[in-house]
Amino acid sequence: MDVLLALTISAVFAIGVFQLLRRNLIRSVIGLSIISNAINLFLLAAGVYRGEVAAYANAVGQRSDALPQALILTAIVINMGGFAMVLSMLYVLSVRYKTSDSDEVKGLTH
Amino acid sequence: MLACLAGAFASAAFTLVPGIKHVSSRVMGWLLAIAPVAAFVAITAQLSTVADGQALTWQIPWLPAFGIAFAFYLDGLSALFGLIVTGIGALVLIYSGYYLTPAHDDADAKSATRNADARFFLYLLLFMTSMLGLVLAGDVITLFVFWEGTSVTSFLLIAYKTKDEEARSGAFKALFVTGGGGIALLAGLLFASAISGSTDLTSILRNGEVLRNHAWYPVMLGLIAFGAFTKSAQAPFHFWLPKAMTAPTPASAYLHSATMVKAGIYLMARLHPALGNTEMWFWLLIVTGGATMLIGALIGLRQSDLKGVLAYSTISQLGVLMMLIGKEAPSAFKALAIGVLAHALYKGALFMIVGIVDHSTGTRDLRRLGNLWRIMPWTFAVCGLAALSMAGLPPLFGFLAKETLLAAEMEAVLPQLTRIVLPAITVLTGALMLAQAATLTLDTFVTRPGTGWPASHLDDGHAEVGHASHAHEAPAGMLLGPAVLAALSLIISTAQPAAIVALLAGAATAAYGAKVKVSLALFHGINLPLILSSTAIALGVVLFTVRRPIRSIPGVPALNMNRLYDGVLRSLDRAADIVTRTQGGRIRIYLAVILSTLFMLVILFGNLGRIFSGPALPNFGMRLLDEPLNTASALRAFGLLLAVAASFVSVIIRRDLLAIIALGSSGLAIAVVIALEPSPDVALVQAVVEVLTLVVLVLALSRLPRAQRERAETLNAGERGTTARNALLATAGGLLVTVLCLYAFASRPRTSIVTPFYEENAKPLTGAADIVGAIVVDFRGFDTLIEITVFSMAGIGVFSLLRLAMKRRETASLPTEGEVELNAADHRPLPLLPSLTGIDGVRTSPFIRALAYVALPLTFMLAIVQMIYGHDQPGDGFTAGVTLSLGVGFWYVVFGYERTKQRLSLLRPGPLIGVGILLALVGSVAPLFLGGGFFSPFDFGAALNLPLPKGFYLSTSFVFEVAICLAVLGAATFIIDTLGHPERDLE
């Protein structure tokens, strides 16, 4: 299962990178979200225990590792905030440059 | 002692008092002089203790962990410099008051400059504080802080006329050189303190033996000397000082002659007992000082600006002092102490005289000045006295300084070569000094304008300027400073007050490190120094008489440090330009470069070889097979494959909207994988967040003009070359991540240290059965508080960013013609009743509307249940908040923006966020007052005896969950609101 997880994570990551590098900024934003999915998956897989029951104190059996789960929880929330920020930037760009093509965003040239 | 520093600082702050504008600058100068006078008296009071070689120390702990203290140290050397700083400081402050008052009464100009005057006094006093701190510092870090303080205040004073291009560039030059030296000095001082084991000055002075024999001694000395040489304008770093003459003259007199430029001298003299008496020390200081002395004197004669003459003669004198520190003889340190005081007295006086001349005639150009003695007889007299001292004529103090200097140069302990070369150049320098002193006095006050200058150096208009018409004698208060200093030059050498002798002896002793006797007898009988001195005088007179032919010799285009400096700065600019040119403005290219650099770094430094050689591989095989094939694992494999497939679909599909939906399903597939972990809490959050992301993305997309969206979609086909490059980069990244993942998974430990702690303590400590929830809300509660703050900030950020963007569009750019049409097409007015139309004015079906009515209360119930039972069951405050905002988002879509606002009038994002974060803070602080701890689990219900239903606990975690829910609801509503309707101006 670890191998499958590793392959999945890297496939999702690679797809995210590809999307991120595209000219269409909407796709770049999608790519960002995909990369964060890959990272969350990695955090989950990095946990020590493969549990049989959820991490509840009253559960009987091998519990899943609670620590990475708490970390992912935080990561998801922050990702969501950052994602909203990026989206609003996308909108601002579209207002200022009348485009969502990254090559037409020329504000950085001198 | 500290009181002195504090006093100077306080009076600096005093100049900021707004009412100060009504006090005239003259009065202010007198008032402010009280602080340095008090400090002067305070140091004088300690003189008797200090003079016989004792040192007084004070300290305040500053960074005790590093052994750094705010320490002060007063011995003979500090006292000499401290007295110069405060004494001349007081005189300069009084003088400044007159200098700043315009010569011609002009009411408008007066009120306009009043503010600027306060600024000048502020800088001057700040400098005084720094300088006093520098010479009194008893800890090298304290010393460095004050050292930098003088550099910064010097910068501010040089650039005081901020509108003057030359002043700005001069100030920058000074800061560049002295600041660079300051950094070297810091490194050198840190070396010294590391080797001696303490930053304390006394301990460094005590460990001289260790320091000198250390392998790093040359580096340390080089760094410290570099700092001192740049500060004290030693060749070849002297070039900043003449350019610093753009400062107002009182500042030049004070900083760039009497005090700040002597900081380097002070430093070297201070550290001489610890670092001196080595070959390197000797040659470094002798050669630098000697060269500086000669160069300064030679260039000085050719200057036509009065302040230029003084600047170069200051450089020359600084060279003399630096050279003296290099010599290992008591007489050298005697000469040093006398030289420091003599120079401060006459040069300070001369600078102030130049200021008076400038103030009254409006020019400092020697070629235009002349014949002033009738108009300004008193100024002339004072100037003459000071110039006699500068020329080194008996019976003035300057004569004594030169005598002792020559005597020191002929000490038998010095190498033969230097015993011949040094007196020779000293005689030459002395002669040049005399010629310059004569030029200053005679060409300004006695001869006709233009005398002593070759015709080629004179413009036609120069000679006949009628400056004398409005020239006038300076007010008595303005003459006070230079007169006192010049008189002291005379009194010290003739009356030889015992206090001064003791002070000089104390200073020389402290710098030499052993007892030095000082006597101020003017006449020692006919001896070699006297003969040499007379030679210098004779030669000087000759030089003065032939000054016109000398000046007509074309200047030697020697290595010009100014040109070098300009060259360095220009090439820096050019290099920066070239670097920025490589950035073509294409974001994708930047991103590709950044990513490939990242991958390269991992490949190069990641030590990937370990993975294939270590224990990873066998372990890894076991891991591959240890999972029994059952429903759960099959389902998990399915979830993973689904995630990959959905992500892949988001790449190949052409329509952006569909790609977004593919992204959503990929996220949900990952939620399934998480749920199978099993980890219901995270899966729940992942699912709701994924849906929220979807909603927000669709909203944002729908806000983009349709034509633009369609244009963007045509890009999705991609160009072949770019696509191949991106695919290559993506594949590289993917492979890298595969390797890293496999290694990470194979080498992870079999047991965790942290997790068992949480598992054991979650229930007893926090009362929560849900371990993940306990970690988030209780164990790492503070972290979560910050996290929801960040999330709220993101919401507020989205709001302000979009509102700002919209404002810009309204004011800045007019829509193009095509866009107007587009907008018209997008917002076609629809004649429907508001309640029947949803977002974008699209008609919604009654079924959906009915569903919305049901859904919102349901989400409320769901949220409340999650908050109450969150600590025992799946779900938490965050999920509750997102669920609620999804319900609200649904309403936006179904009923439209206006209608939703109207109906849910209580739903106001700003207050929600505020209340949420406040509640979290109160909830975490309140237990402090009820017998609990900050951020510790606490049951309010039990503590306050509230009649609560059984099984319901009003605990900190519950309060926290509610707070999170409110804040998240607020932020999410902000996001949905503004992304959905950026055009609307929220009232």
Coordinates of all heavy atoms in Angstrom, one line a residue, chain B residues 421-455:
Chain B
V421 N 62.7 59.5 8.1 CA 61.6 59.8 7.2 C 60.5 60.6 7.9 O 60.0 61.6 7.4 CB 61.0 58.5 6.6 CG1 59.8 58.8 5.8 CG2 62.1 57.8 5.7
L422 N 60.2 60.1 9.1 CA 59.0 60.8 9.8 C 59.3 62.2 10.1 O 58.5 63.1 9.8 CB 58.7 60.0 11.0 CG 58.0 58.6 10.7 CD1 57.6 58.0 12.0 CD2 56.8 58.8 9.8
P423 N 60.4 62.6 10.7 CA 60.7 64.0 11.0 C 60.7 64.8 9.7 O 60.1 65.9 9.6 CB 62.0 64.0 11.6 CG 62.2 62.7 12.2 CD 61.5 61.7 11.3
A424 N 61.2 64.2 8.6 CA 61.2 64.9 7.3 C 59.8 65.3 6.9 O 59.5 66.4 6.6 CB 62.0 64.1 6.3
I425 N 59.0 64.3 6.8 CA 57.6 64.6 6.3 C 56.9 65.4 7.3 O 56.0 66.2 7.0 CB 56.8 63.4 5.9 CG1 56.6 62.4 7.1 CG2 57.4 62.7 4.7 CD1 55.7 61.2 6.7
T426 N 57.2 65.3 8.6 CA 56.5 66.1 9.6 C 56.9 67.6 9.4 O 56.0 68.5 9.5 CB 56.9 65.7 11.0 OG1 56.7 64.3 11.1 CG2 56.1 66.5 12.1
V427 N 58.2 67.8 9.1 CA 58.6 69.2 8.8 C 57.9 69.8 7.6 O 57.3 70.9 7.6 CB 60.1 69.3 8.6 CG1 60.5 70.6 8.1 CG2 60.8 69.0 9.9
L428 N 57.8 68.9 6.6 CA 57.1 69.4 5.4 C 55.6 69.7 5.7 O 55.0 70.7 5.3 CB 57.2 68.3 4.3 CG 56.6 68.6 2.9 CD1 57.2 69.9 2.4 CD2 56.8 67.5 2.0
T429 N 55.0 68.7 6.4 CA 53.6 68.9 6.8 C 53.4 70.2 7.6 O 52.5 71.0 7.4 CB 53.1 67.7 7.6 OG1 53.3 66.5 6.8 CG2 51.6 67.8 7.8
G430 N 54.3 70.4 8.6 CA 54.2 71.6 9.4 C 54.3 72.8 8.6 O 53.6 73.8 8.8
A431 N 55.2 72.8 7.6 CA 55.3 74.0 6.7 C 54.1 74.2 6.0 O 53.6 75.4 5.9 CB 56.5 73.8 5.8
L432 N 53.5 73.2 5.4 CA 52.2 73.3 4.7 C 51.1 73.8 5.6 O 50.3 74.6 5.1 CB 51.9 71.9 4.1 CG 52.7 71.5 2.9 CD1 52.6 70.0 2.6 CD2 52.4 72.3 1.6
M433 N 51.1 73.3 6.8 CA 50.1 73.7 7.7 C 50.2 75.2 8.0 O 49.2 76.0 8.0 CB 50.3 73.0 9.1 CG 49.8 71.6 9.1 SD 48.0 71.6 8.9 CE 47.8 70.3 7.8
L434 N 51.4 75.7 8.1 CA 51.6 77.1 8.4 C 51.1 77.9 7.2 O 50.4 78.9 7.4 CB 53.1 77.4 8.7 CG 53.4 78.8 9.0 CD1 54.3 78.9 10.2 CD2 54.0 79.6 7.9
A435 N 51.5 77.4 6.0 CA 51.1 78.1 4.8 C 49.6 78.2 4.7 O 49.0 79.2 4.4 CB 51.6 77.4 3.6
Q436 N 48.9 77.1 5.1 CA 47.4 77.1 5.0 C 46.8 78.0 6.1 O 45.8 78.7 5.9 CB 46.9 75.7 5.2 CG 47.2 74.9 3.9 CD 46.9 73.4 4.1 OE1 46.0 73.0 4.8 NE2 47.7 72.6 3.4
A437 N 47.4 78.0 7.3 CA 46.9 78.8 8.4 C 47.0 80.3 7.9 O 46.1 81.1 8.1 CB 47.7 78.6 9.6
A438 N 48.2 80.6 7.3 CA 48.3 82.0 6.8 C 47.3 82.3 5.8 O 46.8 83.4 5.8 CB 49.8 82.1 6.3
T439 N 47.1 81.3 4.8 CA 46.1 81.6 3.8 C 44.8 81.9 4.4 O 44.1 82.8 4.0 CB 46.0 80.3 2.9 OG1 47.3 80.0 2.4 CG2 45.1 80.6 1.8
L440 N 44.4 81.0 5.4 CA 43.1 81.2 6.0 C 42.9 82.6 6.6 O 41.9 83.2 6.4 CB 42.9 80.2 7.1 CG 42.5 78.8 6.8 CD1 42.5 77.9 8.0 CD2 41.1 78.8 6.1
T441 N 43.9 83.0 7.3 CA 43.8 84.3 8.0 C 44.0 85.5 7.0 O 43.2 86.4 6.9 CB 44.8 84.4 9.1 OG1 45.0 83.1 9.6 CG2 44.4 85.4 10.2
L442 N 45.2 85.5 6.4 CA 45.6 86.6 5.6 C 44.7 86.8 4.4 O 44.2 87.9 4.1 CB 47.0 86.6 5.3 CG 48.0 86.5 6.5 CD1 49.4 86.4 6.1 CD2 47.8 87.8 7.3
D443 N 44.5 85.7 3.6 CA 43.7 85.9 2.4 C 42.3 86.2 2.6 O 41.6 86.7 1.8 CB 43.9 84.6 1.5 CG 45.2 84.6 0.8 OD1 45.9 85.6 0.9 OD2 45.6 83.5 0.3
T444 N 41.8 85.8 3.8 CA 40.4 86.1 4.1 C 40.2 87.6 4.6 O 39.3 88.3 4.2 CB 39.9 85.2 5.2 OG1 40.1 83.8 4.7 CG2 38.4 85.3 5.4
F445 N 41.2 87.9 5.5 CA 40.9 89.2 6.2 C 41.8 90.3 5.7 O 41.4 91.5 6.0 CB 41.1 88.9 7.7 CG 40.1 88.1 8.3 CD1 40.3 86.7 8.5 CD2 38.9 88.6 8.7 CE1 39.3 85.9 9.1 CE2 37.9 87.8 9.2 CZ 38.1 86.5 9.4
V446 N 43.0 90.1 5.2 CA 43.9 91.2 4.9 C 44.1 91.5 3.5 O 43.8 92.6 3.0 CB 45.3 90.8 5.6 CG1 46.2 92.0 5.3 CG2 45.1 90.6 7.1
T447 N 44.5 90.5 2.7 CA 44.8 90.8 1.3 C 43.6 91.1 0.5 O 42.5 90.9 0.9 CB 45.6 89.7 0.6 OG1 44.7 88.5 0.7 CG2 46.9 89.4 1.3
R448 N 43.8 91.6 -0.8 CA 42.7 91.9 -1.7 C 42.2 90.6 -2.2 O 42.9 89.6 -2.3 CB 43.2 92.8 -2.8 CG 43.4 94.2 -2.5 CD 43.7 95.1 -3.7 NE 43.1 94.6 -4.9 CZ 43.8 94.0 -6.0 NH1 45.1 93.9 -5.9 NH2 43.2 93.6 -7.0
P449 N 40.9 90.6 -2.6 CA 40.3 89.3 -3.1 C 41.1 88.9 -4.3 O 41.5 89.7 -5.1 CB 38.9 89.7 -3.5 CG 38.6 90.9 -2.7 CD 39.9 91.6 -2.4
G450 N 41.4 87.6 -4.4 CA 42.0 87.0 -5.6 C 43.5 86.9 -5.4 O 44.2 86.3 -6.2
T451 N 44.1 87.5 -4.3 CA 45.5 87.5 -4.1 C 45.9 86.0 -3.9 O 45.2 85.3 -3.2 CB 46.0 88.3 -2.9 OG1 45.3 89.5 -2.9 CG2 47.5 88.5 -2.9
G452 N 47.1 85.6 -4.4 CA 47.6 84.3 -4.2 C 47.0 83.2 -5.1 O 47.2 82.1 -4.9
W453 N 46.2 83.6 -6.1 CA 45.6 82.6 -7.0 C 46.1 82.9 -8.4 O 46.0 84.1 -8.8 CB 44.1 82.6 -6.9 CG 43.6 82.0 -5.6 CD1 43.4 82.7 -4.5 CD2 43.5 80.7 -5.3 NE1 43.0 81.8 -3.5 CE2 43.1 80.6 -4.0 CE3 43.6 79.5 -6.1 CZ2 42.8 79.3 -3.4 CZ3 43.3 78.3 -5.5 CH2 43.0 78.2 -4.1
P454 N 46.5 81.9 -9.1 CA 46.9 82.2 -10.5 C 45.6 82.6 -11.3 O 44.5 82.2 -10.9 CB 47.4 80.8 -11.0 CG 47.2 79.9 -9.9 CD 46.7 80.6 -8.7
A455 N 45.8 83.4 -12.3 CA 44.7 84.0 -13.0 C 43.8 82.9 -13.6 O 42.6 83.1 -13.7 CB 45.2 84.8 -14.2

